[in-house]
Amino acid sequence: MHDEFLCHVTAYGVCGGRRIGVPLGTYRAPTLALALWWLRDRASWIAERLDPRPDAEHFPPRALVPVADTVPDVPAVLRTWCADADRQELVADELAAGHLVRIAVSDDTTEYELLAESVDALRMQRTSPALFMPVG
């Protein structure tokens, strides 16, 4: 069983013809349950910022407008992922097995990526015999 997990959230877009990543958060989770909680929390956080309640008091009237039906609904995809117990269990199983988990969703301008991986698996990769260089 893997005990610690490193989690990242990044937004990627194109600026000046180059793909640019903007870190939105990192968390070193001491347990699998906290890693899953943090990923769901960040997915919800992104969804709320992309698709806030139109009646929220901190927005001026008519500041938010609907997008075309052809634009992928990133907030809906993220909210659905958060509420899907089967997907959460699949992520938990993959992390517990030491695999890197990547959840990515994009619209017409930006890709949002949630990553999680076992700290133990990272350490094991660094000390793999294939990577070991003898000294002397």
Side-chain angles (χ1 to χ4, degrees), residues 51-109:
D51 187 19
R53 294 181 324 275
D55 59 344
E57 61 188 48
H58 56 277
F59 292 109
R62 294 176 303 282
L64 301 175
V65 296
V67 296
D69 290 339
T70 58
V71 175
D73 190 348
V74 169
V77 171
L78 290 173
R79 288 179 178 122
T80 299
W81 178 80
C82 288
D84 189 328
D86 292 336
R87 286 187 183 170
Q88 298 301 312
E89 188 173 329
L90 178 60
V91 169
D93 291 345
E94 290 296 310
L95 286 173
H99 301 136
L100 170 71
V101 171
R102 179 179 185 261
I103 297 116
V105 61
S106 59
D107 56 25
D108 54 347
T109 63

Side-chain angles (χ1 to χ4, degrees), residues 120-134:
D120 294 333
L122 288 171
R123 287 182 186 137
M124 287 187 275
Q125 288 172 3
R126 286 191 206 126
T127 60
S128 170
L131 301 175
F132 180 73
M133 301 293 292

Side-chain angles (χ1 to χ4, degrees), residues 12-36:
Y12 294 95
V14 176
C15 181
R18 293 180 40 212
R19 182 174 157 95
I20 303 295
V22 178
L24 300 177
T26 298
Y27 176 57
R28 188 170 180 147
T31 66
L32 178 58
L34 285 174
L36 292 170

